[in-house]
Amino acid sequence: VIDWHEVWSREYWREYLGPIGGRVGYAVQRRCVRVRHTAFCFSRLFQARLRDEGLREEATVLEGEYAGSLEAPQPREAEPLVVFAGRHIPEKRGPDAVAGIARARERGLDVNGIVFGDGPERETVLATITALGLQDVVEAPGFVASDVVDDALGRALCLLHPSSREGYGLVVVEASAHGTPAVVVSGPDNAAVELVEPGVNGVVAPSASADDLADALVAVADGGLALRERTCAWFGENAERLSLGRSLDVVAAAYADAAEHV
């Protein structure tokens, strides 16, 4: 039994490890896919990629990783705050999030930002904040306690999650649990887009350019309380499906079924 949280394309392996290391990594992954096994994954994106890579039987999609309350939130007015929460690595695009906030402000959207997290790109994030003159507008406190992130998500206009690669996108569900819409970015390796219904619980930007992220932030602001009400309703309708408990039930049932056929 294998959990495939991500399945990388040949191109991404090369980008990540270079031409030689990437070729080896992709070959190992492909060999593992073709070994007979029961496969679980966490998105339709990677279910399809497993099929394309030669998986002999259909992978089961586990749609839930959320372990919080399943009660639908009550909509409330947001503060003019944009939240980024993630490790500071190239795939998460923290500097792009800062640039998107800056461009939205240039267009008249009076918002502040908090960039949570740490990692090898932290200095680039801080340098971008300084270069764009946002020192009094965008905070970057590093890693903080989970309740601090949770509080910010509950108050925020939106979650800004411009990641290029996600095996799931749990923070999108965590934001929706507060009635807070999410902005994600379309891309071949980003499964987080499966958790956003455009105009219902967020916006899918076509790219992580400053202009496209600013467009998405303005769209969320224009959506106002009505968008937050739809986000609350979306979470209420999907919370059980997206719960960790539901996924564990599916896995347990698969083990039980396998035991019966031994």
Side-chain angles (χ1 to χ4, degrees), residues 25-110:
Y26 177 72
V28 171
Q29 174 185 272
R30 191 171 178 85
R31 184 67 177 268
C32 291
V33 169
R34 295 188 173 200
V35 171
R36 188 177 294 279
H37 66 280
T38 297
F40 294 102
C41 58
F42 297 84
S43 68
R44 295 184 298 278
L45 169 65
F46 294 123
Q47 181 189 46
R49 191 166 289 174
L50 283 168
R51 186 188 310 124
D52 294 342
E53 292 295 326
L55 184 67
R56 300 185 186 189
E57 297 184 13
E58 191 79 347
T60 298
V61 177
L62 303 175
E63 297 184 277
E65 293 189 10
Y66 177 71
S69 171
L70 304 184
E71 183 177 348
Q74 294 300 310
R76 58 175 176 170
E77 293 286 352
E79 295 181 13
L81 175 66
V82 175
V83 171
F84 170 98
R87 185 160 171 74
H88 293 190
I89 56 177
E91 294 87 345
K92 298 293 185 180
R93 294 170 168 164
D96 292 331
V98 176
I101 293 170
R103 188 61 51 82
R105 288 179 56 84
E106 291 173 3
R107 296 183 183 177
L109 186 63
D110 187 15

Side-chain angles (χ1 to χ4, degrees), residues 216-241:
L217 294 176
V218 171
V220 169
D222 288 345
L225 185 59
L227 177 58
R228 301 181 73 81
E229 290 172 345
R230 292 194 295 274
T231 301
C232 291
W234 181 91
F235 180 80
E237 294 167 2
N238 292 279
E240 184 176 354
R241 175 177 65 85

Side-chain angles (χ1 to χ4, degrees), residues 6-18 21-23 26 29 46 49 89-92 163-166 188-189:
E6 296 182 40
V7 185
W8 291 0
S9 66
R10 186 195 305 268
E11 294 73 22
Y12 191 82
W13 274 107
R14 288 176 177 171
E15 177 184 341
Y16 193 78
L17 291 179
R23 185 182 306 163
Y26 177 72
Q29 174 185 272
F46 294 123
R49 191 166 289 174
I89 56 177
E91 294 87 345
K92 298 293 185 180
S163 181
S164 65
R165 194 195 87 220
E166 289 290 338
D189 297 298

